[in-house]
Amino acid sequence: EPSISGWDHTGGLSVPFTFGADVVSSFLQRHDLDLIVRAHQVVEDGYEFFANRQLVTIFSAPNYCGEFDNAAAMLSVDETLMCSFNVLNPGEA
């Protein structure tokens, strides 16, 4: 969550905890990683970066449940670890 630092307990059932960019940076440094890729959260453009491009959220269902006007995305990683995205817009599905 861009507006918080550390962990935040929202108390809700669907999103009980949120975290800030500092948590992402700390996790990556501790585990000697460069990027966290996660899924299963609706994002408008099919993918969305967070924490200075250290975390990316991928969502693969365009026009989710007919309620959202979101695109879908697929992440490809080549042998040099170069990442690229294929985006499927809602009207193309």
Side-chain angles (χ1 to χ4, degrees):
E1 189 69 34
S3 62
I4 70 165
S5 179
W7 291 91
D8 187 36
H9 177 59
T10 62
L13 293 176
S14 63
V15 184
F17 288 94
T18 56
F19 52 88
D22 59 329
V23 173
V24 173
S25 295
S26 175
F27 180 89
L28 290 172
Q29 184 176 11
R30 184 178 316 122
H31 297 286
D32 194 27
L33 298 170
D34 296 318
L35 178 67
I36 298 170
V37 179
R38 69 179 190 143
H40 199 66
Q41 177 179 336
V42 178
V43 289
E44 185 176 344
D45 296 323
Y47 69 95
E48 183 175 282
F49 283 102
F50 174 64
N52 199 27
R53 298 177 69 95
Q54 296 179 106
L55 181 147
V56 64
T57 300
I58 308 288
F59 197 72
S60 61
N63 201 23
Y64 184 60
C65 294
E67 296 182 25
F68 296 89
D69 189 29
N70 65 291
M74 294 171 284
L75 172 66
S76 298
V77 182
D78 72 12
E79 60 277 352
T80 67
L81 301 181
M82 176 66 72
C83 297
S84 62
F85 297 94
N86 296 321
V87 176
L88 179 63
N89 290 306
E92 299 172 5

